[in-house]
Structures are given as C-alpha cells and as structure tokens.
C-alpha cells in the first residue's frame, strides 16, 4: 500500500484543553462497529458510563449542550483519562487525520476544521510538498476501479499543483487556470475521450498559457459592473441557504459577513491585505484540490470538484475580507489578520467538510452552469 501525505503532516500535535475550539463539541461523534462492540463488553464504572452515554440506535455519543458526554469541565476527555487511548473510537483516534482511499493508495491529510491544522496551513510560507511511503499489507483489488481515469486525474492534479505554486503569477490567474483546465478535462471525461488528456495538460503547461488566462480574467472582471459583482456575491452566498447547520452561530455569522460585503463599495485596505495574502489562498487551494479532486474517479465529477475547491477558497477569502472591514484592519496588523483567516477557515470546514449532506448539496448546486459556470467564477475572481 502506498501512502501520500503533505510534508507538514508529521508536525501536528494535539493541544488538548488548550485548544480554542474543542473537537469534542459542536457535532455528533459517530462510533464505528468495532468500538461499539468493545464498549458493550467494557465492565466497571467506565463500562456503566459508556452504556448510559451512548445512543445505541444512532451509534453516537450522547451530547449535553452540544458537548460530548465524556468532555469534562476542563475540556479533557474522561474516556481517555479513565480508560486510556485504547478506548477511543475510530473517529476520536484519527481526527483531525483524514484519509481518501484509492486502489493501492491512501492519501492522508489533516482537516482544516482543527484550529492547530488551520494555523499550520494558513501560516505555511514555503510551497507544500507531498511525501510518499510504502507499507507492506494485503490488498483486495476492486475490478470496477478505473485505473486509466485515476492516472489522468493524478496527472491533472500534478499540473494543477504546479500552476497553483507558480508564484510568478497572480493567484487569481492561477485559480482561473486550474478551473479552466478541469472544465476542459471534464469535457473529455464526458465524451469518453480521457486518452486526450495528455495533450490537454501539455497545453496548460505551455509558457504562453498564463498570459492568455490573465487577459481573459481581466476581461471578465472589467465586464462585470458593481451591480453584477453584488449579484455574484448574493449568488455565491445563497449556497448556504439550504444546508444543514451544525452550529447555531454559523448562519448569523454568514449573514452578517454578506451584509458587510454588499454594503461596502471600496476598501483599498482590504484589497491590499488580500494581495499580501496570496500565499494563504495558494495553500488553501492546494489543501482542497489535494483532498477532493482525485475523488472524481468514483463519480466522474472532476470539474465540480475543482469548482468546490475554488468556491471554498473564495468564500473563505470573502468572509475574511468582511471581517477585516468590520474590524477596520490595517495592512500591517499581520497577527490579527491571520487569526481571522484561521477562524473563518476552520468554521467553514466544520460546517461543510464534516457534513456529507452539505458537501453533496454544494456539489449539486455547483453543477448548475448557469449559476456557477466558468465565466461566473472568472468574474468573481
């Protein structure tokens, strides 16, 4: 089995009760079958407590005021304190680690919803690299797995990584390029001509490609009057209207951030901060593309998955800019600016990445080309 993971992966350390946003509150914690069986057979005081504090029908830990039943007043886990790590269920043992599984390959990442991880990603200055490890283990082959499609998705993602990490280009140009590349790749997937992917990717690696996309992006931006831009803001934020809410303060936060954006006509300071944070937007794009793009081998939605990566990055950027405007940030308030981006990123990730319903709903909405087509994204950039 091959394993791939980002080079900052090994630096993660849980800060336990020092965490500003505990992972033991605010969402349901699902319990895997193996752990449920173990909990049923656990004896003694901790066993009695497990039997009482598990919703056996829903297969989750009970919650009180949104907090796991085992989270004590010191924000520490009683299950760990009383029984040790071996009593952790799979969710508690692995979070914030996340694994995407493919045939003979596991791609491991760290979830942006964790404050420590958000801090690591947002503050990362050097281009992220991905490391590979091999581990001997038995594997079951999936005869339905499309190796050709997966290999082309990997190739496309590698080209996307190169584009996104080309810091000689403006970040908006880089984002426009990878989105357009995914659009063109999707056309070949849909017409069952994935063998044409190599020529397509070569075209996006040409030295002349960035200039073409910069000109196209600027044209789209100039052709979008302020009324159109406000309409795009409303359209992008409308995605949140029909999603499930994991935390009660999320919807008011989103609505207030949108109100500020729509009410503000010109924010030169926010624009300056935005330009100074290009590396941050690069790291977020790398995170989302790495985590989600190759999953198209299972659903064929390469373009939609790239849209999701772009949408997520742009929404985090817009929410952050709204905070800077509200808090009247100056471009030299680096620590406060980065803290606000981290807050937005982890709150977004908690609400979206940890809800299959929300992710699938956004995927469905983004497939509407009339509302979320390539030109709309170019204009929003």
């Amino acid at each position: 089995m091959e394993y791939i993971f980002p080079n900052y992966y090994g630096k993660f350390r849980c800060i336990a009760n020092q965490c500003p946003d505990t992972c033991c509150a605010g969402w349901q914690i699902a319990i895997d079958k193996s752990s449920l069986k173990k909990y049923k057979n656990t004896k003694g005081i901790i066993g009695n407590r497990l039997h009482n504090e598990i919703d056996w029908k829903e297969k989750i830990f009970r919650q009180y005021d949104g907090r796991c039943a085992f989270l004590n007043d010191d924000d520490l886990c009683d299950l760990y304190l009383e029984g040790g790590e071996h009593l952790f269920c799979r969710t508690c043992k692995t979070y914030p680690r996340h694994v995407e599984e493919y045939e003979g390959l596991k791609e491991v990442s760290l979830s942006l919803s964790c404050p420590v991880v958000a801090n690591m990603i947002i503050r990362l200055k050097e281009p992220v690299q991905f490391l590979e490890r091999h581990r001997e283990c038995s594997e079951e082959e999936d005869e339905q797995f499309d190796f050709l499609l997966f290999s082309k998705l990997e190739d496309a993602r590698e080209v996307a990584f190169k584009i996104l990490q080309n810091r000689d280009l403006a970040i908006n140009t880089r984002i426009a390029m990878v989105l357009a590349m995914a659009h063109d790749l999707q056309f070949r997937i849909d017409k069952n001509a994935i063998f044409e992917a190599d020529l397509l990717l070569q075209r996006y690696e040409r030295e002349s490609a960035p200039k073409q996309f910069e000109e196209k992006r600027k044209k789209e931006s100039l052709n979008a009057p302020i009324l159109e831009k406000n309409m795009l803001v409303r359209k992008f934020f409308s995605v949140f209207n029909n999603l499930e809410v994991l935390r009660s303060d999320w919807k008011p936060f989103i609505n207030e951030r949108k109100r500020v954006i729509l009410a503000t006509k010109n924010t030169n300071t926010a624009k300056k901060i935005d330009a100074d944070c290009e590396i941050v937007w690069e790291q977020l794009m790398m995170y989302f593309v790495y985590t989600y793009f190759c999953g198209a081998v299972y659903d064929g939605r390469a373009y939609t998955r790239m849209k999701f990566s772009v949408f997520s990055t742009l929404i985090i950027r817009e929410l952050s800019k709204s905070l800077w405007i509200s808090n009247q940030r100056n471009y030299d308030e680096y620590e406060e600016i980065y803290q606000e981006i981290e807050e937005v990123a982890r709150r977004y990730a908690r609400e979206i990445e940890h809800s299959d319903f929300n992710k699938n709903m956004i995927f469905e909405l983004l497939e509407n080309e009339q509302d979320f087509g390539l030109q709309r994204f170019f204009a929003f950039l």
Side-chain angles (χ1 to χ4, degrees):
M1 177 71 70
E2 298 294 328
Y3 289 81
I4 297 178
F5 49 92
N7 60 340
Y8 55 78
Y9 179 83
K11 298 178 182 179
F12 171 77
R13 296 292 183 275
C14 177
I15 57 175
N17 61 333
Q18 301 303 311
C19 185
D21 190 13
T22 176
C23 56
C24 303
W27 46 26
Q28 294 179 340
I29 300 175
I31 308 173
D32 56 283
K33 291 182 179 180
S34 177
S35 295
L36 282 171
K37 182 178 179 180
K38 177 170 57 180
Y39 294 156
K40 284 182 179 180
N41 296 325
T42 301
K43 307 298 182 182
I45 297 176
I46 191 65
N48 290 334
R49 191 173 173 190
L50 278 166
H51 296 160
N52 292 327
E53 300 296 8
I54 290 176
D55 184 328
W56 296 94
K57 181 179 179 181
E58 298 296 329
K59 302 176 182 178
I60 58 175
F61 289 111
R62 298 189 188 280
Q63 290 188 336
Y64 300 97
D65 295 326
R67 293 165 60 89
C68 174
F70 288 92
L71 183 63
N72 64 31
D73 292 340
D74 295 322
D75 282 340
L76 293 172
C77 176
D78 283 341
L79 195 61
Y80 176 83
L81 294 175
E82 297 179 27
E85 187 177 356
H86 76 279
L87 279 183
F88 274 164
C89 67
R90 184 182 303 158
T91 300
C92 297
K93 189 177 295 183
T94 59
Y95 182 83
R97 299 159 190 86
H98 173 80
V99 180
E100 293 289 333
E101 296 193 31
Y102 307 104
E103 188 73 5
L105 173 66
K106 289 186 178 183
E107 295 191 340
V108 187
S109 60
L110 294 171
S111 297
L112 189 62
S113 57
C114 170
V116 175
V117 177
N119 178 273
M120 291 169 63
I121 293 175
I122 300 304
R123 310 281 179 138
L124 187 63
K125 297 301 182 184
E126 67 275 11
V128 63
Q129 298 178 12
F130 297 95
L131 309 177
E132 298 184 19
R133 294 288 186 273
H134 178 79
R135 182 182 298 172
E136 293 294 340
C137 60
S138 59
E139 301 177 28
E140 293 185 6
E141 292 189 7
D142 181 1
E143 295 181 357
Q144 303 299 318
F145 190 83
D146 192 334
F147 283 99
L148 176 60
L149 175 58
F150 185 67
S151 67
K152 299 309 175 186
L153 289 170
E154 284 188 302
D155 292 343
R157 189 176 62 175
E158 189 61 33
V159 173
F161 286 165
K162 291 178 182 178
I163 294 172
L164 289 171
Q165 293 185 326
N166 182 356
R167 296 180 181 177
D168 291 333
L169 304 177
I171 188 60
N172 286 347
T173 300
R174 292 180 254 170
I175 293 175
M177 288 184 67
V178 298
L179 184 61
M181 182 182 72
H183 170 274
D184 295 347
L185 179 64
Q186 188 65 55
F187 177 76
R188 286 151 179 81
I189 293 174
D190 291 344
K191 72 173 187 176
N192 200 25
I194 192 64
F195 56 86
E196 297 178 2
D198 291 341
L199 290 176
L200 169 68
L201 300 182
Q202 289 173 17
R203 178 156 59 89
Y204 277 87
E205 290 186 285
R206 292 175 184 168
E207 291 185 6
S208 59
K211 183 178 180 180
Q212 295 172 357
F213 276 92
E214 180 65 13
E215 292 174 352
K216 189 170 185 178
R217 186 189 65 80
K218 287 182 178 179
K219 181 179 178 181
E220 292 294 336
S221 180
L222 290 173
N223 289 337
I226 187 64
L227 180 63
E228 174 70 8
K229 290 183 182 297
N230 284 347
M231 184 275 288
L232 289 173
V233 169
R234 291 190 177 93
K235 179 61 65 176
F236 274 62
F237 274 82
S238 71
V239 167
F240 299 104
N241 291 344
N242 297 316
L243 304 185
E244 70 171 340
V245 177
L246 301 188
R247 288 195 170 184
S248 60
D249 61 348
W250 173 245
K251 215 54 177 300
F253 175 76
I254 286 289
N255 291 336
E256 175 61 15
R257 301 280 58 86
K258 181 177 73 171
R259 185 196 66 78
V260 170
I261 293 172
L262 294 176
T264 307
K265 292 184 178 180
N266 186 23
T267 56
N268 290 328
T269 301
K271 289 180 180 178
K272 175 67 167 61
I273 297 173
D274 181 18
D276 288 344
C277 291
E278 287 209 346
I279 293 178
V280 175
W281 316 136
E282 170 194 316
Q283 304 294 14
L284 286 173
M285 277 295 299
M286 292 292 292
Y287 166 82
F288 286 113
V289 173
Y290 169 66
T291 305
Y292 294 103
F293 183 72
C294 284
V297 71
Y298 296 117
D299 60 17
R301 303 157 93 180
Y303 179 39
T304 301
R305 288 172 174 274
M306 186 64 77
K307 277 189 190 179
F308 176 75
S309 299
V310 175
F311 172 83
S312 298
T313 302
L314 294 184
I315 283 294
I316 291 173
R317 186 165 79 172
E318 290 301 309
L319 292 173
S320 299
K321 288 164 69 174
S322 178
L323 276 179
W324 304 335
I325 294 168
S326 294
N327 295 330
Q328 298 182 325
R329 292 291 176 218
N330 294 317
Y331 62 86
D332 58 349
E333 296 179 273
Y334 296 111
E335 184 59 31
E336 292 82 359
I337 289 167
Y338 276 79
Q339 287 178 355
E340 285 163 357
I341 300 175
E342 290 170 26
E343 177 193 356
V344 169
R346 63 180 171 81
R347 291 181 70 172
Y348 173 87
R350 264 184 173 261
E351 291 289 330
I352 306 305
E353 291 193 272
H354 293 279
S355 166
D356 288 337
F357 175 86
N358 286 347
K359 279 188 297 185
N360 292 333
M361 178 63 74
I362 292 180
F363 275 31
E364 293 296 327
L365 292 171
L366 292 180
E367 288 195 328
N368 184 332
E369 276 293 286
Q370 183 175 350
D371 290 338
F372 300 101
L374 194 62
Q375 306 307 319
R376 284 276 176 95
F377 273 96
F378 281 0
F380 197 78
L381 285 166

